[in-house]
Amino acid sequence: MDIWTYNQFREIEIRLDDGQYLYALINGDYGWLMYLREEEDSGLSSRNPDYNGSDNETMKFTLSNGQVDYYPLSWVLPAETVNKALLYFEETHKIPEFITWHDDNK
């Protein structure tokens, strides 16, 4: 299956030879990102600086293995932005600086 084909739920992972990878979960027109510097890294996850809602609000995401997870809406970005970040990472091998990141090690 072509990962860029539209499906309601998508799980996309771009892994580089040096161990970095960018991972995205998409639900329709929205998604979130996780960046790992290497295996076993807690990594960084996306944040939406424009989100003003409750910290308790979540969105459903379905992984490719059928597992269903819920993530805070404060992490969620427009799918267009997520796709732009994935393409940027794939082309430049650098973390997209236009995404607001949260260090999950802290």
Side-chain angles (χ1 to χ4, degrees), residues 29-98:
D29 293 332
Y30 298 95
W32 73 275
L33 294 158
M34 179 174 58
Y35 167 75
L36 299 177
R37 296 165 276 245
E38 58 191 29
E39 291 286 331
E40 307 300 323
D41 181 24
S42 295
L44 307 173
S45 53
S46 61
R47 294 297 186 269
N48 184 342
D50 298 325
Y51 179 73
N52 294 316
S54 166
D55 290 337
N56 297 326
E57 292 185 78
T58 61
M59 180 175 277
K60 174 183 171 179
F61 293 91
T62 302
L63 285 66
S64 59
N65 66 4
Q67 177 179 322
V68 175
D69 289 337
Y70 293 84
Y71 291 94
L73 285 180
S74 60
W75 296 19
V76 174
L77 302 166
E80 182 178 308
T81 302
V82 172
N83 287 332
K84 179 180 171 187
L86 290 164
L87 288 170
Y88 178 88
F89 183 73
E90 186 174 52
E91 291 172 1
T92 67
H93 297 185
K94 296 178 183 175
I95 186 171
E97 293 182 12
F98 54 87

